Amino acid sequence: MKLLFVCLGNICRSPLAEGIMKHKIAEQGLDWEVDSAGTGGWHAGDLPDSRSIQVAQKHGVDLTYQRARKLRSIDYEAFDRIYVMDSMNYQDVKRLANEDEYDKIELIMNEVEPHRNINVPDPYYGEGDGFEHVFQMLDRACDAIIKKYCKKV
Ligand code: 4NP
């Protein structure tokens, strides 16, 4: 299974999803390919946001090897599933896809609560426990994805 997680900046939400998923597949011995990207390129080359790094570290997940990158057209064929964080990401990712690739694109929380189209909120400008909340959402989503696909690889 080849999974790509996509958000806007690739510094807050999708790096967390990548880190959490890589942590889980390593624990379970799954030979999956996991990456993340942003629909925007403003932060290309940057480390994840320090608040994402911190909340991940608190849960034993390392993000410090990651560097932000922008979504590329080749990603659409290279990955089996492209999980986006919110409806804006969904529109942006879909706009650049070929029609036969639409089925690869999914709002990540639909793996937890199908068809409800719940967004993972952008914590970038927020305060308080936004990053912990995002971590918990993505942790549940990664568990659901593993449960769904681990028997199919
Ligand atoms: P992300 O959060 O999409 O979860 O990485 C954001 C990070 C940076 C910006 C927006 C969202 N920004 O506008 O720079």
Side-chain angles (χ1 to χ4, degrees):
M1 185 61 55
K2 296 177 182 175
L3 305 177
L4 183 67
F5 298 107
V6 175
C7 62
L8 178 59
N10 192 212
I11 56 168
C12 295
R13 291 165 293 177
S14 60
L16 273 171
E18 177 188 333
I20 291 166
M21 185 57 95
K22 281 187 172 161
H23 188 77
K24 288 181 187 293
I25 64 173
E27 275 180 348
Q28 303 203 19
L30 293 169
D31 186 22
W32 288 7
E33 193 177 307
V34 177
D35 198 2
S36 65
T39 55
W42 317 283
H43 292 280
D46 290 356
L47 273 166
D49 188 283
S50 58
R51 297 164 293 177
S52 282
I53 291 177
Q54 268 179 9
V55 79
Q57 224 154 33
K58 197 179 102 189
H59 293 282
V61 174
D62 177 39
L63 305 184
T64 59
Y65 66 90
Q66 294 188 36
R67 297 296 180 271
R69 75 170 177 87
K70 191 176 180 192
L71 183 69
R72 300 183 280 251
S73 53
I74 197 173
D75 289 327
Y76 289 92
E77 24 174 317
F79 290 92
D80 303 312
R81 301 287 281 155
I82 300 175
Y83 285 113
V84 298
M85 301 295 136
D86 62 32
S87 52
M88 185 174 75
N89 306 150
Y90 187 84
Q91 294 305 327
D92 289 341
V93 172
K94 200 169 169 186
R95 195 172 337 111
L96 300 174
N98 295 320
E99 249 178 66
D100 63 346
E101 292 157 341
Y102 286 175
D103 286 350
K104 294 184 176 188
I105 308 163
E106 181 64 281
L107 273 170
I108 189 167
M109 293 311 293
N110 277 347
E111 296 292 12
V112 180
E113 300 187 62
H115 311 302
R116 288 197 57 202
N117 296 339
I118 294 171
N119 291 327
V120 179
D122 186 347
Y124 187 63
Y125 295 108
E127 289 175 15
D129 68 351
F131 283 76
E132 176 65 29
H133 179 60
V134 166
F135 184 96
Q136 294 301 335
M137 290 182 88
L138 294 174
D139 191 67
R140 280 195 295 149
C142 288
D143 282 341
I145 292 166
I146 289 175
K147 199 170 165 193
K148 182 174 179 180
Y149 291 113
C150 70
K151 294 189 184 75
K152 296 183 183 173
V153 289

